[in-house]
Amino acid sequence: ASDMLHRSLDSLVARDVEAALAVCDDDDEVDQIYDQVFRELLTFMIEDPKTIQRATYLLWTAHDLERMADRATNVAERVIYSVTGKMTETNASKY
């Protein structure tokens, strides 16, 4: 997520559509990792209720990182718009 944010800002400065599109593509991987972490932490909590508090903290951290990647994607989408003049939602199909 941090790398995506840096690359989205670099694409903004360079007005680089290809770099912005690459950032958007990486968001799918972050979403998949978040889904995996969510499922694993939920399993831990079900198997051992003593892990609920720690797993919840980890879940919020994973959620925040996933949202950070979404924000980097938003920046990248705006780069694409500012360069091409076309509004593009690169990850609209996931909802």
Side-chain angles (χ1 to χ4, degrees):
S2 178
D3 179 60
M4 287 175 64
L5 180 58
H6 285 278
R7 290 186 297 122
S8 68
L9 294 174
D10 288 343
S11 71
L12 175 64
V13 172
R15 298 179 51 85
D16 185 346
V17 172
E18 293 302 317
L21 287 168
V23 169
C24 295
D25 290 341
D26 289 349
D27 186 54
D28 292 336
E29 182 179 355
V30 173
D31 291 341
Q32 290 172 357
I33 293 169
Y34 171 73
D35 290 342
Q36 178 183 350
V37 167
F38 180 85
R39 285 190 306 274
E40 288 180 18
L41 290 173
L42 191 60
T43 301
F44 289 145
M45 289 187 278
I46 290 168
E47 290 175 357
D48 184 3
K50 294 177 195 171
T51 65
I52 290 174
Q53 185 174 6
R54 286 179 292 158
T56 301
Y57 292 144
L58 291 171
L59 188 57
W60 274 109
T61 301
H63 171 78
D64 290 341
L65 289 170
E66 189 274 334
R67 293 303 294 148
M68 184 177 167
D70 288 343
R71 299 298 186 225
T73 300
N74 292 346
V75 171
E77 288 174 344
R78 283 159 179 79
V79 169
I80 295 165
Y81 174 74
S82 71
V83 174
T84 67
K86 296 179 183 173
M87 195 66 154
T88 304
E89 287 192 41
T90 58
N91 289 319
S93 64
K94 68 180 184 180
Y95 296 109

